Amino acid sequence: MSRIAGRIVHGLHARDTRISPEGRGTDLQLMRESNWLLVLNYVRTHGGLPRAEVARQTGLSRTTVGNIIDDLLTEGLVRESGSERAIPSGGRRVIPVHFNADVAHIVGIALGRHRLIMVVTDLGANIIGRVEVPFPAYEGPDVCLPLLAAAVRDFISSQGLPWNKVIGVGVGMPGIVKDGICLSPTIPGWVGTNVYERLCDLVGLPIYLDNNAKLGALGESRFGNARDVESMLYVRVGTGIGGGLVLDGQVYRGGAGSAGEIGHMVVDPHGPVCACGNNGCLETFAGKQAIVDLVRERKPEVADIVTVLQLAQAGDPICIAALQRAGASIGAIVSGLVNFISPVLIVVDGSTMRAGELVLAPIRAA
């Protein structure tokens, strides 16, 4: 199973596995891996199809599909239903092939500046368990990454799941991530750290690592509100402000891996100094701390964003105004992006969005 997991994660890093008439591999092993992932993903997303239909839809030969499905059956990733059914045209009866989501588990991790959120799912992305714990990211990777690896094992143990059934870990973290290396100073002390390699060594499982907003966009595109939408803009509003773009059904990262970093687009060039060194970035108007700081100018007893949200929902005008200003600032940036990329859908997510329409309404109005 670990061999299969490695192939899946390698495929995620290496290429788009959607059906594409233009894609023609030249390396035989690469072509085999691509075909293997193509069949697996087609069965996963469509399911309940006979081998011949999988071959017809993917454009692969029946022999190739048959060999791949035999391999997947051996690994337990698919199953053939016990009841046969007749094809509409009559003739030989066929056995549908189904994706076996229960055969293994995957851990998903949101690595934040102050919190660590972990979920464990089956292979169909159905959540089995979830935990949220404090995480001292500012103490640096040498301290935090071993803590993360230990937390993963403790979490799986607490869920009563066998470790050998966990086939991989997906990790989302703030800032620019390229080739597994943290490139932005979003979390001090992490710049230049090869988080991917360190986690592979510490956890001992295949790792898929990316920026948290890009993974949020990917999740919405595959399993959420943007499923089957070809182009979308994902905005994550929390401690920082992140963005993810899905264009033609795929996450767009840009040449430097920094596409979607809308938190550092400038709202007001004369605004507050941002951690990145610029003035007036969106994060200085709509990030959690910016909202809390604005409220504390008139209500110094307010300690955190949770209190701001509670007071706003109770009708406090100062907290409501601070959240509305954050929404208007996000809307100012998003409206420009809409004109530029014309997404079919915009998804706004993140802990601050518990405020609901207090933030959403000014975004829409922009």
Side-chain angles (χ1 to χ4, degrees):
M1 184 61 70
S2 60
R3 178 178 65 89
I4 293 295
R7 291 168 73 178
I8 293 172
V9 174
H10 174 75
L12 286 170
H13 281 293
R15 60 176 56 233
D16 172 14
T17 58
R18 294 179 303 160
I19 300 172
S20 171
E22 303 85 39
R24 294 291 182 268
T26 55
D27 179 81
L28 183 59
Q29 182 60 33
L30 184 62
M31 184 184 298
R32 286 173 177 166
E33 293 294 325
S34 178
N35 290 343
W36 186 89
L37 285 167
L38 182 63
V39 171
L40 175 62
N41 279 329
Y42 195 82
V43 172
R44 178 179 62 83
T45 55
H46 294 81
L49 296 175
R51 297 183 182 209
E53 181 65 12
V54 175
R56 190 178 73 83
Q57 293 293 337
T58 60
L60 301 175
S61 71
R62 291 193 180 194
T63 300
T64 296
V65 168
N67 290 337
I68 292 171
I69 289 178
D70 286 342
D71 185 25
L72 295 174
L73 284 167
T74 300
E75 295 292 342
L77 286 168
V78 300
R79 58 183 172 79
E80 291 181 313
S81 62
S83 59
E84 298 181 348
R85 63 180 177 83
I87 58 175
S89 59
R92 203 166 84 181
R93 300 173 73 84
V94 296
I95 303 176
V97 179
H98 301 269
F99 183 63
N100 188 9
D102 299 327
V103 70
H105 302 100
I106 295 174
V107 176
I109 299 175
L111 189 164
R113 304 182 201 187
H114 307 288
R115 309 286 294 177
L116 190 69
I117 300 173
M118 293 183 287
V119 298
V120 59
T121 75
D122 62 18
L123 298 187
N126 300 301
I127 295 176
I128 298 168
R130 181 186 187 278
V131 68
E132 182 174 349
V133 296
F135 187 68
Y138 284 94
E139 293 188 16
D142 291 342
V143 171
C144 292
L145 292 179
L147 289 177
L148 188 154
V152 171
R153 288 186 175 272
D154 289 345
F155 174 49
I156 293 302
S157 177
S158 73
Q159 298 298 310
L161 300 173
W163 181 254
N164 63 0
K165 290 295 185 181
V166 180
I167 65 167
V169 180
V171 182
M173 64 180 296
I176 301 170
V177 180
K178 186 176 184 183
D179 298 327
I181 300 172
C182 178
L183 298 179
S184 75
T186 303
I187 309 177
W190 289 68
V191 176
T193 300
N194 194 320
V195 179
Y196 169 76
E197 286 189 355
R198 300 266 309 259
L199 282 179
C200 284
D201 292 338
L202 289 165
V203 177
L205 291 171
I207 301 291
Y208 187 81
L209 175 75
D210 207 341
N211 166 267
N212 52 9
K214 289 181 176 63
L215 289 182
L218 180 64
E220 291 290 345
S221 175
R222 298 298 185 265
F223 300 103
N225 293 309
R227 193 168 186 171
D228 299 324
V229 172
E230 283 297 300
S231 64
M232 67 160 288
L233 172 63
Y234 173 89
V235 180
R236 181 183 179 90
V237 186
T239 302
I241 311 292
L245 287 172
V246 172
L247 302 176
D248 294 328
Q250 296 298 299
V251 175
Y252 178 74
R253 292 176 173 79
S258 60
E261 286 293 311
I262 67 171
H264 298 287
M265 295 180 70
V266 175
V267 175
D268 179 1
H270 304 292
V273 177
C274 180
C276 73
N278 288 333
N279 287 83
C281 292
L282 177 58
E283 199 165 296
T284 67
F285 286 88
K288 282 184 182 179
Q289 196 57 51
I291 295 170
V292 172
D293 288 346
L294 182 62
V295 169
R296 294 189 68 187
E297 290 178 6
R298 298 179 63 184
K299 298 177 75 72
E301 70 276 13
V302 171
D304 52 36
I305 192 67
V306 174
T307 305
V308 172
L309 294 174
Q310 291 172 345
L311 291 173
Q313 289 162 356
D316 184 279
I318 294 172
C319 294
I320 289 173
L323 290 167
Q324 288 175 335
R325 187 190 78 154
S329 300
I330 296 168
I333 296 297
V334 168
S335 62
L337 294 174
V338 168
N339 289 332
F340 185 67
I341 63 173
S342 187
V344 173
L345 180 68
I346 301 170
V347 176
V348 187
D349 191 14
S351 56
T352 302
M353 295 315 299
R354 294 170 187 163
E357 286 299 316
L358 292 176
V359 177
L360 277 175
I363 293 176
R364 291 194 188 100

